[in-house]
Amino acid sequence: MTAPTPGRTPATSPDRGGRRNTAILITGAGGEVGHGLISSLHGLGHRNIVALDVKKLRRDQRELCQDSFEGDICDNSLLERLLAMYEITEIYHLAALLSTRAEFTPETAHAVNVGGALNLLRLATEQARSHGERVKFIFPSSIAVYGLPDLETKFRAGAVKEDEYCRPNTMYGCNKLTCENLGRYYADHYRQLAQDRIEGLLDFRSLRFPGLISSETLPSGGTSDFASEMIHAGASGKSYACFVRQDTRIPFMTMPDAIDAMLKLAAAEESKLTRCVYNVGSFNPSAEQIKDQVMRYFPDAEITFEPDLPRQEIVDSWPADVDVSAAKDDWGFAPVHDLSRAFADYLVPRIKARYAE
Ligand code: AKB
C-alpha cells in the first residue's frame, strides 16, 4: 500500500490561521458508491474531498478530490498521518468486503468490515476532540442485516421495518449490524464511565442499502449483483446465467437514488431524526421481471437461470421488501426511479452509451 508521502506538510490555508484544512473523508472511494459520491459532492461545490482506497483512484476521480491516498483502513499509521494533515469534519465510510466475497474469507471480512469501521470511529472521535467540532459519520449498512428464516416467513413479512428480523445469516450482514451498533455506541455512550468523557463528539447516521444498480460500474462480490450482472451482460451482448431463481425477490434502487439518499440523510436536521439507521429502497422486482425489462430493451440478450444454491439461500434470507416510511417522514427520502423508470430514464440510455464507446 502507498501511504502519503512521508513528510507531506499538513494542508493549511491563510484564512484558517495556519490550522489544517477541513476535509470530507471518503473511504472505499474507488468503489461503486464512492465513484458516484465523489462526483455528486464535487457537483455540490465541495472542494475538500479526501479519498482513501486500497487501489489508486482513476485520474478523472482524483481530479475531483483535494487529495487521494492508497491504503488500508486497518492501517492505523496511515489514518494517524491523515489526521495530522486534515481536520476531518465528515466521513463517508464505504470501504467493505461484500456478502459473497466475505463468505470465502469471513475472518478477513470481519477484520476489514468491523476492524476498519472501529478505526474510523476512533479517528472521528479523536478528530472531534482535537478540533472541537462534531464529526458527521455516514455509514452505508445493508439489507444483509436481515435474516428471514424461510420463504414463507419472507413473503408473509412483506416490507420489513428496521427493528424486525435482524438476525443475519452472513458474515457481511453480521458485520454491518455490528457497525450500526458501534456507531450508535460511539455517538451516544462512548467512554460513558470515564471522568474525562466528552459527549456529542460524533453524529452517526446510517442507511440500509438494498441491491444497488449502476450504469457506470459493475458490482463485485455481492449477492444482490445478479440484477446488475444481468443488465450489463444483456446490454453488451454476453449471455448470462443468473445465479438465483426466477421468483427471487429483494429490494433494489439505482445508484443515483442511493447517492441522493445518502446526501439527503447527511444534510438532514439532526432534530428531525428519530433513529440513526434507516431503510431505503425503491423497487422490488423478481429476477424474472428484471429479465423482462432487459429483453424489452435488448431483445437479443441470452439470459438463463441456473441457481447457485448457497448464494440462493443468502438472497432468500433477505427481505422481499423494506418499509421506508421512517426515511420518508424524517428526512424526505424520495427515490426518482421505480423499475420502469430505472430502465427507461437511467440504465438503458447510459449503458447503451457506455457499450457503444
Ligand atoms: C451485497 O450484495 O452483498 C450488497 C448488499 C446487498 O449490501 N450489494
Side-chain angles (χ1 to χ4, degrees):
M1 65 202 75
T2 325
T5 318
R8 269 172 69 168
T9 51
T12 59
S13 39
D15 62 349
R16 286 181 53 78
R19 286 178 58 184
R20 294 162 294 167
N21 284 348
T22 61
I24 297 174
L25 174 63
I26 302 177
T27 71
E32 276 200 283
V33 178
H35 183 277
L37 180 62
I38 290 174
S39 309
S40 296
L41 282 171
H42 188 271
L44 289 170
H46 294 285
R47 295 297 178 268
N48 60 342
I49 301 168
V50 172
L52 171 61
D53 199 287
V54 281
K55 294 183 196 135
K56 187 170 186 174
L57 254 59
R58 282 192 355 218
R59 182 189 177 88
D60 62 314
Q61 292 294 301
R62 287 204 311 275
E63 287 169 354
L64 303 179
C65 299
Q66 175 173 327
D67 215 335
S68 65
F69 299 88
E70 281 175 66
D72 187 327
I73 53 173
C74 297
D75 178 349
N76 278 309
S77 61
L78 168 60
L79 297 181
E80 296 300 331
R81 284 205 286 277
L82 252 174
L83 264 174
M85 296 182 68
Y86 292 98
E87 283 195 12
I88 294 168
T89 56
E90 208 162 320
I91 296 177
Y92 292 83
H93 176 42
L94 312 179
L97 287 180
L98 297 186
S99 58
T100 290
R101 185 167 297 168
E103 286 310 308
F104 292 102
T105 55
E107 290 77 13
T108 303
H110 178 85
V112 172
N113 293 345
V114 178
L118 205 54
N119 276 349
L120 269 297
L121 287 165
R122 179 181 57 77
L123 177 142
T125 43
E126 284 172 11
Q127 280 279 297
R129 196 190 282 269
S130 78
H131 58 55
E133 288 167 40
R134 291 187 85 183
V135 171
K136 196 171 283 183
F137 196 108
I138 308 300
F139 180 72
S141 185
S142 162
I143 55 169
V145 305
Y146 295 111
L148 282 295
D150 52 61
L151 282 177
E152 187 199 341
T153 308
K154 170 170 174 162
F155 288 104
R156 192 176 63 241
V160 300
K161 291 184 183 302
E162 285 85 353
D163 299 326
E164 296 177 323
Y165 299 105
C166 292
R167 291 173 55 85
N169 297 343
T170 60
M171 174 54 92
Y172 173 73
C174 292
N175 297 160
K176 287 296 187 183
L177 193 57
T178 301
C179 292
E180 289 178 9
N181 287 320
L182 286 173
R184 200 160 31 75
Y185 164 75
Y186 270 79
D188 301 339
H189 309 289
Y190 184 59
R191 300 181 77 244
Q192 57 199 303
L193 302 183
Q195 290 304 313
D196 62 345
R197 178 192 189 194
I198 301 175
E199 294 190 62
L201 294 170
L202 198 63
D203 175 359
F204 176 83
R205 305 179 185 192
S206 179
L207 54 177
R208 288 179 182 162
F209 280 143
L212 299 182
I213 307 176
S214 167
S215 63
E216 306 309 308
T217 53
L218 259 170
S220 63
T223 321
S224 63
D225 294 353
F226 60 89
S228 292
E229 290 172 356
M230 190 190 295
I231 295 161
H232 281 268
S236 54
K238 297 190 183 88
S239 61
Y240 182 67
C242 182
F243 60 79
V244 295
R245 295 185 314 265
Q246 292 90 323
D247 67 321
T248 301
R249 190 181 294 271
I250 58 171
F252 286 96
M253 68 196 301
T254 62
M255 190 57 75
D257 278 339
I259 302 295
D260 180 66
M262 197 156 46
L263 294 175
K264 265 203 178 87
L265 175 59
E269 262 182 68
E270 192 173 4
S271 60
K272 299 278 176 53
L273 304 182
T274 58
R275 53 184 315 113
C276 64
V277 179
Y278 288 89
N279 280 337
V280 288
S282 51
F283 49 91
N284 66 322
S286 67
E288 182 78 50
Q289 287 172 316
I290 297 171
K291 175 184 175 182
D292 293 344
Q293 289 287 332
V294 173
M295 298 308 293
R296 178 177 171 189
Y297 293 98
F298 306 104
D300 299 333
E302 290 173 29
I303 296 166
T304 56
F305 291 91
E306 297 172 25
D308 171 334
L309 297 185
R311 293 180 89 183
Q312 180 71 59
E313 211 171 301
I314 289 175
V315 180
D316 284 345
S317 74
W318 293 350
D321 200 359
V322 284
D323 181 321
V324 298
S325 50
K328 287 183 175 174
D329 296 344
D330 289 7
W331 45 274
F333 171 57
V336 169
H337 299 133
D338 58 17
L339 178 64
S340 54
R341 291 190 65 181
F343 275 82
D345 300 351
Y346 167 61
L347 290 167
V348 172
R350 300 282 287 268
I351 284 182
K352 276 187 173 170
R354 171 194 167 111
Y355 290 110
E357 281 167 16

